[in-house]
């Protein structure tokens, strides 16, 4: 089952050679599991590496200066997140994860005993867990049952919006079958009923467009490690300006308050700083952050990853992914594998789930796909789910072909041997091929790291040469070069000596 060659290059440039260079590991891997965790782009890895190397080599005249620079780098993620959803930077708080954001939302909403939270029964377990922990305050949780198509309609929600329901909490895209909620209609309904609308957009942002100007919500949370492809545990939370005055303030650290000087570093140089002094908290969303030392590597990784999504533009990413999932749906239909998600284009997302009708068989199929080098998952909730495929901007029609071919090959096996490790020579060859592909992807990633380190080393060597020339010293320091050669020889033997000499030769360019 092969796709026409002209379909290999999507119109918006997605999965083009330029984009694929951001994801070197995917040259030898069919990765269709972004709904679990995204692949970090090269620019995000470089941003994190440069930050950590700066810490390693004390890239600042003092710790105070370095800490201030780290705060500035972390803050740079807010305007990018704001652009993604049509908000303002002051509406954005940085959080550790979707769970962290939901926890802040639950603690901040002014809920009282007898109030109810309404949520679909398709939600991820964490959505239920965070609201159930309000039971000791007398707050209850109710679910909206899904329909036969695996969706939760606006009418079903409206029917359960009784006067005691104060919060509608839901994922804009459901994690098991990819059902995409009619967020605009639900937003209008909540505004009419004066119900708080809390949205988990972890399976939405980065692959589908969303504007909080066009579709108002009160609180939106999104972890960065899925469709945003941020390499570390971080994400962001949107708090609507109209909502913030009514929200409780969490207990926060001093970084969530306005410094009594231009910066906290300058404030600590004053004699009037004391542990019980009054702190003034801003009305902006960052006042809802933890306020301690932040996840700086995560924030710079998130910033770099967001920059890629914004360059590609969510509307174009969605069009590319829609073409891939349409092609996949056609192929699954030919194979007789049933869809477990919505067929209506209005409720489709980047997640497409299919199944065999039995959970155990779905797991066997998934394991066979994994052995063939095709990364997918099996997910179920409230009886809905199956083999989950999640396509992103870095995926191609060739990736879909590989999945369909591997699924078809699995179907042709006798029932009793439908396992990835069935002992046949063909099965062993497939597993070995997939393993070699993963190992080659790792080598490619390591090679990229080596090239980045060589570039960084060359830059430092150039700076040293300039400093020596300005100081009237000889261009090279032979004693220092001998130290370098000896260090490499001690660690790597004769190969280390040759490598050190080549590195020294490379670093003796023009100043």
């Amino acid at each position: 089952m092969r796709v026409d060659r002209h379909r290999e290059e999507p119109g918006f440039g997605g999965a083009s050679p330029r984009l694929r260079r951001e994801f070197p590991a995917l040259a030898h891997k069919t990765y269709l599991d972004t709904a679990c965790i995204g692949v970090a782009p090269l620019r995000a890895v470089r941003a994190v590496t440069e930050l950590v190397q700066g810490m390693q080599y004390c890239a600042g005249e003092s710790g105070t200066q370095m800490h201030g620079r780290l705060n500035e780098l972390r803050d740079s993620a807010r305007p990018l997140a704001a652009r993604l959803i049509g908000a303002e930077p002051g509406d954005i708080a940085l959080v550790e994860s979707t769970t962290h954001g939901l926890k802040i939302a639950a603690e901040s909403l002014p809920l009282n005993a007898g109030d109810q939270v309404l949520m679909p029964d398709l939600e991820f377990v964490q959505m239920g867990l965070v609201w159930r922990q309000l039971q000791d305050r007398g707050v209850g949780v109710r679910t909206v049952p899904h329909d036969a198509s695996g969706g939760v309609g606006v009418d079903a929600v409206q029917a359960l919006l009784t006067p005691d329901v104060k919060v509608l909490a839901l994922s804009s895209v459901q994690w098991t079958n990819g059902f995409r909620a009619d967020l605009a209609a639900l937003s209008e309904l909540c505004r009419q009923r004066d119900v708080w609308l809390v949205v988990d957009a972890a399976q939405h942002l980065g692959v589908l467009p969303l504007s909080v100007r066009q579709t108002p919500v009160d609180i939106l949370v999104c972890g960065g490690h899925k469709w945003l492809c941020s390499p570390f545990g971080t994400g962001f939370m949107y708090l609507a300006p109209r909502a913030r005055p009514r929200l409780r303030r969490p207990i926060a650290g001093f970084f969530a308050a306005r410094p009594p000087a231009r910066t906290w570093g300058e404030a600590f140089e004053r004699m009037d700083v004391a542990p019980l002094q009054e702190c003034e908290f801003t009305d902006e969303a960052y006042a809802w952050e933890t306020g301690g030392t932040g996840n700086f590597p995560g924030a710079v990784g998130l910033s770099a990853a967001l920059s890629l999504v914004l360059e590609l533009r969510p509307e174009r990413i969605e069009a590319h992914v829609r073409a891939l999932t349409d092609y996949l749906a056609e192929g699954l239909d030919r194979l007789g594998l049933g869809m477990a998600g919505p067929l209506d284009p209005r409720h489709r997302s980047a997640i497409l789930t299919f199944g065999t009708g039995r959970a155990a068989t779905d797991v066997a199929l998934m394991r066979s796909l994994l052995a063939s080098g095709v990364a997918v998952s099996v997910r179920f909730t409230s009886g809905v789910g199956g083999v989950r495929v999640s396509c992103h901007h870095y995926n191609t029609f060739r990736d879909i072909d590989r999945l369909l071919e591997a699924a078809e090959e699995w179907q042709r096996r006798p029932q009793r041997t439908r396992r990835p490790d069935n002992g046949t020579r063909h099965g062993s060859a497939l597993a070995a091929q997939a393993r070699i592909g993963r190992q080659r992807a790792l080598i490619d990633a390591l090679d990229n790291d080596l090239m980045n380190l060589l570039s960084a080393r060359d830059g430092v060597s150039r700076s040293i040469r300039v400093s020596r020339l300005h100081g009237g010293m000889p261009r090279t320091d032979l004693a220092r070069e001998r130290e370098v050669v000896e260090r490499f020889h001690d660690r790597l033997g004769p190969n280390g000596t040759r490598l050190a000499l080549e590195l020294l030769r490379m670093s003796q360019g023009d100043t």
Side-chain angles (χ1 to χ4, degrees), residues 43-92:
R43 66 177 68 186
V45 176
R46 283 174 176 163
V48 173
T49 301
E50 289 172 5
L51 180 140
V52 176
Q53 286 177 341
M55 297 297 295
Q56 180 183 7
Y57 297 111
C58 302
E61 64 183 18
S62 70
T64 299
Q65 185 195 56
M66 285 198 296
H67 210 302
R69 177 58 178 153
L70 290 172
N71 284 336
E72 291 173 1
L73 289 170
R74 182 175 183 271
D75 291 344
S76 67
R78 290 195 191 91
L80 296 175
R83 278 181 56 197
L84 181 67
I85 62 172
E88 296 296 327
D91 302 332
I92 302 298

Side-chain angles (χ1 to χ4, degrees), residues 84-416:
L84 181 67
I85 62 172
E88 296 296 327
D91 302 332
I92 302 298
L94 299 181
V95 294
E96 178 185 302
S97 61
T98 306
T99 296
H100 184 200
L102 288 173
K103 182 177 183 293
I104 293 172
E107 292 175 348
S108 300
L109 288 171
L111 300 178
N112 301 307
D115 292 342
Q116 296 287 318
V117 177
L118 191 63
M119 54 178 274
D121 69 349
L122 295 174
E123 293 294 335
F124 184 58
V125 63
Q126 182 56 46
M127 179 67 89
L129 185 61
V130 73
W131 298 109
R132 287 185 63 192
Q133 292 181 64
L134 299 182
Q135 287 179 334
D136 61 349
R137 286 164 46 185
V139 177
V141 185
R142 297 204 297 261
T143 58
V144 184
H146 63 273
D147 58 30
S149 68
V152 176
V154 176
D155 290 342
V157 173
Q158 185 172 4
L160 293 175
L161 278 182
T162 53
D164 57 347
V165 173
K166 305 301 180 184
V167 180
L168 174 61
L170 80 161
S171 299
S172 51
V173 171
Q174 290 298 337
W175 69 297
T176 51
N177 67 350
F179 173 78
R180 184 176 182 176
D182 187 347
L183 204 56
L186 293 171
S187 171
E188 179 65 24
L189 184 61
C190 287
R191 278 178 286 156
Q192 291 173 357
R193 303 290 185 90
D194 194 25
V195 171
W196 293 93
L197 180 57
V198 178
V199 176
D200 174 348
Q203 299 290 4
H204 188 134
L205 294 179
V207 68
L208 304 172
L210 174 61
S211 169
V212 294
R213 292 178 183 172
Q214 298 173 1
T215 307
V217 303
D218 296 303
I219 300 176
L220 179 144
V221 297
C222 181
H225 69 284
K226 297 183 185 293
W227 305 93
L228 296 178
C229 298
S230 179
F232 280 89
T234 191
F236 68 90
M237 176 172 64
Y238 163 78
L239 298 173
R242 67 183 181 280
R244 292 200 294 270
R246 299 168 56 198
L247 295 175
R248 293 188 178 101
R249 295 296 182 94
I251 297 175
F254 69 98
F255 277 135
R258 288 195 178 103
R262 190 178 63 87
T263 66
W264 278 106
E266 291 182 7
F268 294 151
E269 296 170 354
R270 292 169 26 173
M271 293 185 67
D272 59 346
V273 172
L276 295 180
Q277 71 182 56
E278 291 292 330
C279 285
E280 179 187 357
F281 286 90
T282 176
D283 292 330
E284 294 186 354
Y286 78 81
W288 276 261
E289 294 180 4
T290 302
T293 300
N295 178 2
F296 300 122
V300 298
L302 177 63
S303 294
L306 282 168
S307 73
L308 179 60
V309 173
L310 292 169
E311 283 175 23
L312 296 175
R313 303 210 319 248
E315 296 81 7
R316 290 184 167 187
I317 297 174
E318 180 185 27
H320 169 60
V321 169
R322 179 60 58 90
L324 292 177
T325 53
D326 284 347
Y327 182 65
L328 174 58
E330 293 169 7
L332 293 171
D333 186 59
R334 286 193 295 271
L335 295 178
L337 292 167
M339 295 268 289
L343 300 177
D344 187 337
R346 295 172 301 175
H347 296 298
R348 289 265 300 279
S349 68
I351 296 173
L352 192 152
T353 303
F354 67 94
T356 62
R358 293 180 62 245
T361 315
D362 290 344
V363 171
L365 172 53
M366 176 199 69
R367 288 176 178 165
S368 182
L369 292 172
L370 294 177
S372 300
V374 179
V376 295
S377 296
V378 167
R379 295 290 188 271
F380 282 95
T381 189
S382 297
V384 175
V387 180
R388 186 183 68 182
V389 183
S390 39
C391 305
H392 206 1
H393 48 50
Y394 41 59
N395 290 119
T396 65
F397 290 100
R398 192 178 302 280
D399 291 335
I400 305 302
D401 279 333
R402 291 186 183 120
L403 183 150
L404 294 172
E405 289 164 3
E408 188 174 21
E409 194 278 333
W410 176 83
Q411 283 184 322
R412 285 197 294 263
R413 298 180 198 168
Q415 287 279 354
R416 66 182 181 277

